[in-house]
Amino acid sequence: MFFVDDALGYMAVIAIILVFTKLFGLLFRKIKLPEVLGYIIAGLFIGPAIFGEFCGFALIGFESGAADGTYKALFVLEEAADGGNEVISIFSKIGVILIMFSVGLETDLKQLKNTGLASILIACAGVAVPLLLGFLISLPFGSIGLGTEHIYRCIFIGTILTATSVAITVSVLKEMGKVTTKLGTTIVSAAVIDDVIGIVVLSIVTSLAKSGTSTAENGFEAFKGTIYGTIIMIVAFFIVAVAVGFGVSKLFRWMEKKRPNTHRLPVFSLVVCFLYSWAAEEIFGVADITGAFIAGVALATAHKSSEYTDTKISVSSYLLFAPMFFANIGISYITFSGVSGSIILFAFLAVLLGLIGKIIGCGGVAKCFKYSWRESTIAGVGMMARGEVALIVTQTVIDSSLGENALGSEFMLMTVLLILISSILTPILLKVLYKKDLPLQNGPAQSTGGEVLADEPADNGQTAESQT
Amino acid sequence: MFFVDDALGYMAVIAIILVFTKLFGLLFRKIKLPEVLGYIIAGLFIGPAIFGEFCGFALIGFESGAADGTYKALFVLEEAADGGNEVISIFSKIGVILIMFSVGLETDLKQLKNTGLASILIACAGVAVPLLLGFLISLPFGSIGLGTEHIYRCIFIGTILTATSVAITVSVLKEMGKVTTKLGTTIVSAAVIDDVIGIVVLSIVTSLAKSGTSTAENGFEAFKGTIYGTIIMIVAFFIVAVAVGFGVSKLFRWMEKKRPNTHRLPVFSLVVCFLYSWAAEEIFGVADITGAFIAGVALATAHKSSEYTDTKISVSSYLLFAPMFFANIGISYITFSGVSGSIILFAFLAVLLGLIGKIIGCGGVAKCFKYSWRESTIAGVGMMARGEVALIVTQTVIDSSLGENALGSEFMLMTVLLILISSILTPILLKVLYKKDLPLQNGPAQSTGGEVLADEPADNGQTAESQT
């Protein structure tokens, strides 16, 4: 039994986390499920949730559990006041920020400008309908901490349901040779826009939720605590972020011109990412992941070697930080001991509505744009899959900085279910829908949509990631 | 003024450290000094040592300084019991481990087997003479915590003086077209062997120093605390490390054959590195950096794609962890307020002897191998330059785990001086020595030595690093 209290102890813990996440990740790829689910299961496996609770021994455990005799653990971590371990949480938070930064770097604003109205409206409906359904289903569940007395928490449930991940859809479409069809490119563009809208919605609701919990009595903090102050700070954040983004963009273009593909580009990019994240949360009261995302978008418009930067940042991300985030969900957030029947019932209902919401929302808009019933269903199902962004959003809304408006960590289980079920259903349904004998509107891709897809670095990211 | 107590705060601090280290690093490259010195100066610049002490305001400061009104700081860090900040120290320690792992990965044992006797003996003398001189000069300095009452500390001073860094020598030799001469390859091989011998010496002396401080009364810990126990544990460590290394080597060869250049290789390499470091220190009482170094050597013999792994690990290293280590030296270890005249005098004497020791030791052996006086001097001067390994050794011997045998952090200044002065003198002296009109023994390279050089991945590392 080793009590972890220095750098070396943490390095041993990190090593254990890395080896198990990688092994479970590879296993999950084999059975065609997202690797991130494997990472979370690895966290459950090495953390106290399963073996600690039910066998009395965990590879990695916390002081409290080890002290009160619930379980023994090989490595015992200090426990922070709000749960989890401080150092592991820092690594995990850096993982989150790097993932959102990458999502931003892979969002090409110039291409999005040329995207068709169909994609934009599909994305809007894909955010709005699950948001509304998630909110409504939460209202009767006062017994598990939601209900009409906790309106913000109900909105957060809706917000969690908004994030789309098209990685699975893209790989199925590729497999079937449908990725460059008009429908395929529309889906991919819509998913990118979906990210942008989702992050704006998240920023606004978390800011507003925080404004209700401020305890400052006067001065700037008190002003930020009022509802008007919050709205002004949100607007100010987006204005400042865009204005500074232009400056940063110019600076990077100049550096790049002087010496392309040098180490300084990823280093300074990381600096911009971290400072944006920090300023978003600490100065403007907007979620840190919004800052990271916008930093990524700014740098993507700014410089040609954003792909080079993305590659370098990704290395640190996959090598160390991202697995720490996903594993930490399994280690620190998911417990089975406190899970009630109502929470499980609620989780299944929310997942169901999350899936239906995307199909109705996105499919409905597609139908209005004269796609056939079947194609509209494909659009809806294609937008249905969820991934790491849903986990990041969940982590953001169970953060203690939201005070009493924060969701309990037991809702992480819902998000994991959402990813699991949507990842299983999406490829099956897509293949069924495409296999029907009806001929598809298989015309050439819209030129703009096609470019979005061809240049979509998210795709490159996935290809790189698949070299696991 | 922001009190740093969460992940975001640390990310802001990391961003500040990264931007300043990169800027100072680039500046130092411009003036032909090692980048790592720039990193340390950056740490001094943003930490409390200069601006905090003398201007009353630092970008990054510590609780104690900010609380007792010595200075104000923009970001205030919590202070650990043994100085510095826990989280920054963890990042910095990971930086150290990754650097030593890289040094190991770049050590090609197969090539070393074929190295000539000259290189081996030059390396031995290059370790022995500075070690002895450093030890002897420390004996009269009882007033600054050395002296005959603190024999281990005196040995540590000698140990710090042993580490060679040939990066500068190689670049000068390249510039002058002398790198593939017999003398050039002998120097480069000797420097690699010097690393190996130096690390063995460091392991033995730190282990022995620790054995004197153990407070355990019985059981395994008490056994490790005895001098016999310590020696047995050192031997056991090297046996186990090599034996496990063979197993790991086989495993990696198998993985590589199955799927070369996949993400799993660097991830599992990192795992091996971290576990070796942890086990070395926690189980065997040997310095953690020895574990990291041997893990690197094992993986280098093991698999062909060690270069691929080295590249990927290096990205995380230069992007984040290594600058944190060097900057932290400036932020946490170097202070000017407590520096006495005796320490400065001692530092200059030790540096002088460190330089002379290499020239006499390495040059003397070269002379015995029938090199001319001038060539022998070139060999000595070529081995004279110091770099990051000297800093890492210093950090290891001022670590609190060594108890009362640990050196005080004021000796970090000596190491920085050593690097600074040797980096300035080495290229100047080498050029002067080569420019004399006497003809050099400019024959073709020894075939084995030549291969060492051609395949020397340290060189690739340097080339990569030079894309700053």
Side-chain angles (χ1 to χ4, degrees):
Chain A
M1 198 145 128
F2 298 96
F3 190 76
V4 178
D5 62 352
D6 60 357
L8 271 185
Y10 283 110
M11 281 161 63
V13 169
I14 292 172
I16 291 175
I17 291 176
L18 288 183
V19 76
F20 280 93
T21 46
K22 200 71 210 164
L23 289 176
F24 277 85
L26 290 173
L27 183 72
F28 270 65
R29 281 179 64 79
K30 272 258 156 95
I31 57 175
K32 307 235 171 199
L33 282 177
E35 248 178 287
V36 295
L37 278 182
Y39 293 174
I40 297 174
I41 304 297
L44 282 173
F45 190 84
I46 57 185
I50 298 176
F51 283 93
E53 284 295 328
F54 304 111
C55 306
F57 182 81
L59 268 174
I60 297 172
F62 290 99
E63 252 179 318
S64 61
D68 66 16
T70 314
Y71 54 80
K72 284 185 198 300
L74 185 61
F75 289 93
V76 180
L77 294 171
E78 281 183 276
E79 211 163 356
D82 53 349
N85 169 274
E86 197 202 356
V87 175
I88 303 293
S89 299
I90 289 173
F91 275 85
S92 145
K93 174 63 103 178
I94 293 179
V96 168
I97 293 295
L98 291 183
I99 293 169
M100 292 309 293
F101 185 53
S102 268
V103 174
L105 277 175
E106 291 158 8
T107 305
D108 191 334
L109 279 191
K110 266 189 209 140
Q111 300 285 2
L112 282 189
K113 263 200 269 178
N114 304 324
T115 306
L117 186 65
S119 294
I120 296 173
L121 292 185
I122 288 175
C124 290
V127 169
V129 179
L131 181 61
L132 186 68
L133 291 180
F135 173 72
L136 292 177
I137 188 68
S138 306
L139 291 180
F141 279 87
S143 65
I144 54 169
L146 303 173
T148 46
E149 279 177 36
H150 296 100
I151 290 298
Y152 277 116
R153 295 190 193 164
C154 301
I155 300 176
F156 287 156
I157 294 288
T159 313
I160 293 172
L161 301 182
T162 62
T164 290
S165 160
V166 281
I168 290 177
T169 303
V170 168
S171 74
V172 175
L173 291 180
K174 266 189 190 156
E175 200 181 301
M176 313 196 77
K178 305 288 186 192
V179 79
T180 50
T181 59
K182 191 178 157 198
L183 185 59
T185 57
T186 304
I187 294 174
V188 174
S189 305
V192 177
I193 302 167
D194 182 289
D195 274 344
V196 180
I197 302 173
I199 206 97
V200 172
V201 170
L202 177 74
S203 311
I204 294 173
V205 295
T206 52
S207 291
L208 291 175
K210 260 182 234 172
S211 78
T213 63
S214 173
T215 52
E217 286 188 5
N218 43 32
F220 189 50
E221 287 302 316
F223 165 72
K224 285 204 283 185
T226 64
I227 191 109
Y228 300 110
T230 303
I231 293 169
I232 289 173
M233 290 312 283
I234 295 174
V235 174
F237 169 72
F238 281 103
I239 292 173
V240 173
V242 169
V244 173
F246 270 107
V248 168
S249 158
K250 277 207 164 170
L251 183 68
F252 272 81
R253 250 177 280 175
W254 172 78
M255 284 200 298
E256 184 172 71
K257 215 171 166 186
K258 231 179 133 211
R259 287 193 69 181
N261 290 356
T262 45
H263 284 183
R264 65 193 77 168
L265 290 173
V267 171
F268 288 135
S269 299
L270 201 60
V271 169
V272 171
C273 162
F274 282 4
L275 289 182
Y276 258 71
S277 311
W278 176 79
E281 180 104 26
E282 295 288 321
I283 313 257
F284 296 95
V286 176
D288 45 16
I289 54 171
T290 311
F293 176 77
I294 294 187
V297 173
L299 290 181
T301 61
H303 61 139
K304 281 177 216 156
S305 46
S306 66
E307 214 172 301
Y308 174 80
T309 299
D310 195 25
T311 318
K312 297 297 171 194
I313 302 277
S314 300
V315 171
S316 297
S317 184
Y318 80 74
L319 205 56
L320 185 54
F321 294 108
M324 295 291 284
F325 166 60
F326 297 114
N328 195 33
I329 290 176
I331 295 172
S332 305
Y333 289 101
I334 301 181
T335 47
F336 295 107
S337 54
V339 173
S340 66
S342 326
I343 286 180
I344 294 174
L345 172 68
F346 175 77
F348 273 100
L349 284 176
V351 168
L352 188 69
L353 289 179
L355 302 182
I356 292 175
K358 287 282 183 190
I359 298 179
I360 294 176
C362 304
V365 172
K367 189 76 193 83
C368 300
F369 276 83
K370 304 206 172 132
Y371 283 99
S372 71
W373 278 111
R374 188 153 67 89
E375 286 170 319
S376 303
T377 318
I378 289 173
V381 171
M383 296 285 287
M384 189 176 85
R386 310 301 210 283
E388 50 266 43
V389 177
L391 292 167
I392 292 173
V393 171
T394 310
Q395 209 218 18
T396 305
V397 298
I398 63 183
D399 191 274
S400 59
S401 71
L402 291 166
E404 62 160 12
N405 289 327
L407 279 181
S409 62
E410 62 273 17
F411 291 99
M412 192 54 97
L413 207 60
M414 173 190 84
T415 308
V416 174
L417 264 183
L418 178 63
I419 296 173
L420 178 67
I421 295 176
S422 67
S423 313
I424 296 173
L425 286 185
T426 303
I428 296 176
L429 290 180
L430 278 181
K431 282 177 190 170
V432 169
L433 284 164
Y434 268 117
K435 266 181 194 151
K436 283 190 185 171
D437 278 326
L438 296 161
L440 263 180
Q441 196 178 318
N442 213 341
Q446 263 183 316
S447 78
T448 56
E451 282 165 36
V452 168
L453 189 69
D455 284 350
E456 173 66 16
D459 195 15
N460 294 333
Q462 251 91 49
T463 335
E465 187 58 29
S466 72
Q467 296 185 327
T468 38
Chain B
M1 198 147 126
F2 299 95
F3 190 76
V4 177
D5 62 352
D6 60 357
L8 271 186
Y10 283 110
M11 282 161 63
V13 170
I14 292 171
I16 289 175
I17 292 175
L18 288 182
V19 76
F20 279 92
T21 46
K22 200 72 210 163
L23 289 177
F24 277 84
L26 291 173
L27 182 71
F28 271 62
R29 281 179 64 79
K30 272 258 156 96
I31 56 175
K32 307 238 171 198
L33 282 177
E35 248 178 288
V36 296
L37 278 183
Y39 293 174
I40 297 173
I41 305 296
L44 282 173
F45 190 84
I46 56 184
I50 299 176
F51 283 93
E53 286 294 328
F54 304 110
C55 305
F57 181 83
L59 267 175
I60 296 172
F62 291 99
E63 251 179 320
S64 61
D68 66 15
T70 313
Y71 54 79
K72 284 187 198 298
L74 185 60
F75 289 93
V76 180
L77 295 171
E78 279 182 279
E79 212 163 358
D82 52 350
N85 170 274
E86 197 202 355
V87 175
I88 302 293
S89 298
I90 289 173
F91 275 85
S92 145
K93 176 62 105 178
I94 294 180
V96 169
I97 294 295
L98 292 183
I99 293 169
M100 292 308 293
F101 185 53
S102 269
V103 175
L105 277 175
E106 289 157 8
T107 305
D108 192 333
L109 279 193
K110 266 189 210 141
Q111 301 284 0
L112 284 189
K113 263 199 271 179
N114 304 324
T115 305
L117 187 64
S119 295
I120 295 172
L121 292 184
I122 289 176
C124 289
V127 170
V129 180
L131 180 61
L132 186 68
L133 292 180
F135 173 72
L136 293 177
I137 188 65
S138 308
L139 292 179
F141 278 86
S143 66
I144 54 168
L146 303 171
T148 47
E149 279 179 34
H150 296 100
I151 290 297
Y152 278 116
R153 295 190 194 164
C154 300
I155 301 177
F156 287 157
I157 295 288
T159 312
I160 292 173
L161 301 183
T162 62
T164 290
S165 159
V166 281
I168 289 176
T169 304
V170 168
S171 74
V172 175
L173 292 180
K174 266 191 190 154
E175 202 181 298
M176 314 196 75
K178 306 286 184 192
V179 80
T180 50
T181 60
K182 192 178 157 199
L183 184 60
T185 57
T186 304
I187 294 175
V188 174
S189 304
V192 177
I193 302 167
D194 182 290
D195 275 344
V196 179
I197 302 174
I199 205 97
V200 172
V201 170
L202 177 75
S203 311
I204 294 172
V205 294
T206 53
S207 291
L208 291 175
K210 259 183 235 172
S211 78
T213 63
S214 173
T215 53
E217 288 188 4
N218 43 34
F220 189 51
E221 287 302 316
F223 165 73
K224 285 203 284 185
T226 64
I227 191 106
Y228 300 110
T230 304
I231 293 169
I232 289 174
M233 290 311 283
I234 294 174
V235 174
F237 169 72
F238 282 103
I239 292 173
V240 172
V242 170
V244 173
F246 271 108
V248 169
S249 159
K250 276 208 164 170
L251 182 69
F252 271 82
R253 251 177 280 175
W254 172 78
M255 281 201 297
E256 185 172 72
K257 212 170 165 187
K258 231 179 134 207
R259 287 192 69 180
N261 291 355
T262 46
H263 284 183
R264 67 192 77 166
L265 290 173
V267 170
F268 288 135
S269 299
L270 201 60
V271 169
V272 172
C273 162
F274 282 3
L275 288 182
Y276 258 69
S277 311
W278 176 80
E281 179 106 25
E282 295 287 323
I283 314 260
F284 295 96
V286 176
D288 46 15
I289 55 172
T290 311
F293 176 78
I294 294 188
V297 174
L299 290 181
T301 62
H303 61 138
K304 282 176 217 157
S305 46
S306 66
E307 215 172 300
Y308 174 81
T309 298
D310 195 24
T311 319
K312 297 296 171 193
I313 303 276
S314 299
V315 171
S316 298
S317 185
Y318 79 75
L319 205 56
L320 184 54
F321 294 108
M324 295 292 284
F325 166 58
F326 297 112
N328 195 34
I329 290 176
I331 294 172
S332 306
Y333 289 101
I334 302 180
T335 47
F336 295 106
S337 55
V339 174
S340 66
S342 326
I343 286 181
I344 293 175
L345 172 70
F346 175 78
F348 274 101
L349 284 175
V351 167
L352 188 68
L353 289 177
L355 302 182
I356 292 175
K358 288 281 181 190
I359 297 179
I360 294 176
C362 304
V365 173
K367 187 77 193 82
C368 301
F369 276 84
K370 304 203 173 134
Y371 283 97
S372 72
W373 279 112
R374 188 155 66 89
E375 286 170 319
S376 302
T377 319
I378 289 174
V381 172
M383 295 285 285
M384 190 178 84
R386 310 300 209 281
E388 49 266 43
V389 177
L391 292 167
I392 292 173
V393 171
T394 311
Q395 208 219 19
T396 305
V397 298
I398 62 181
D399 191 276
S400 59
S401 71
L402 293 165
E404 61 162 14
N405 290 327
L407 279 182
S409 62
E410 62 275 17
F411 290 99
M412 190 56 95
L413 207 59
M414 174 191 82
T415 308
V416 173
L417 263 183
L418 178 62
I419 296 173
L420 177 68
I421 294 175
S422 68
S423 314
I424 294 173
L425 287 184
T426 303
I428 295 176
L429 291 179
L430 278 181
K431 282 177 190 168
V432 169
L433 285 163
Y434 268 117
K435 266 180 194 153
K436 284 191 183 168
D437 278 323
L438 296 159
L440 262 178
Q441 196 180 316
N442 212 340
Q446 265 185 311
S447 77
T448 55
E451 280 166 35
V452 168
L453 188 71
D455 285 350
E456 172 66 20
D459 194 14
N460 295 332
Q462 252 90 46
T463 336
E465 187 58 29
S466 71
Q467 298 185 327
T468 40

